[in-house]
Amino acid sequence: SPWRAANARHVARTAPILRDLHLASRACFEELGRRAEFDLVQRGLLMLCKTPQGLEEEAHAAEYARSLGVPANVLSAAEAQALEPNLRLDVAGAVHYPLDCHLTPARLMAALRGSLQSASVRMLWNACVTGWRTAGGRVEAVTTSQGDLTADEYVLAAGVWSAPVARDLGLALPMQAGKGYSLTLPEPHRK
């Protein structure tokens, strides 16, 4: 369970792996961004802390990030305000992770779709995976609501829904949903 994995030994063992996975993912986005425009920008991530205690906790996380080779800077309230001059911040301070990037999701999806269409990939929309056809320890086809699909190789990329889809293959994928945050502004300021 996730609670059993929340211990110092597990974190110490998996943190370098997750760091490498995140950095490799970032490099893939950068490479794709050189070929297709989806507004990938490196402005960093600013973790705002309302209280001194929150800032102290986030500073410990920043220290751990730095020990893994990930840049992280603890900022005073004034330094955080200087990074976001168009907002009025009521914070004790912040931690800035300068390597983090941002993108426009709709433009990314359009770029990915365009890349796939250029490669003559056949797309099947609104098809629900209902199972797998296997023989001799190999997948022969994926069964969908629109018929069976055969391929030489299969990539299961259904996010948190990958686990139930893979269960029919006897695979136990330890995945759980993550929480994300976003802020939508009617007329965001552009630099």
Side-chain angles (χ1 to χ4, degrees), residues 48-58 90-94:
L48 301 173
C49 303
K50 181 80 171 162
T51 65
Q53 295 84 5
L55 181 58
E56 184 178 336
E57 288 175 16
E58 195 61 42
D90 179 19
V91 296

Side-chain angles (χ1 to χ4, degrees), residues 118-186:
S118 295
S120 299
V121 170
R122 177 179 161 228
M123 294 184 213
L124 189 61
W125 301 102
N126 300 314
C128 184
V129 173
T130 58
W132 303 90
R133 194 173 71 228
T134 61
R138 291 185 42 88
V139 174
E140 288 187 338
V142 58
T143 305
T144 78
S145 57
Q146 296 185 28
D148 288 0
L149 301 173
T150 60
D152 296 328
E153 296 181 36
Y154 298 84
V155 176
L156 178 56
V160 73
W161 298 279
S162 296
V165 173
R167 196 172 296 129
D168 290 343
L169 292 172
L171 300 174
L173 300 179
M175 297 186 76
Q176 75 179 66
K179 187 172 183 179
Y181 298 90
S182 72
L183 178 65
T184 302
L185 303 172

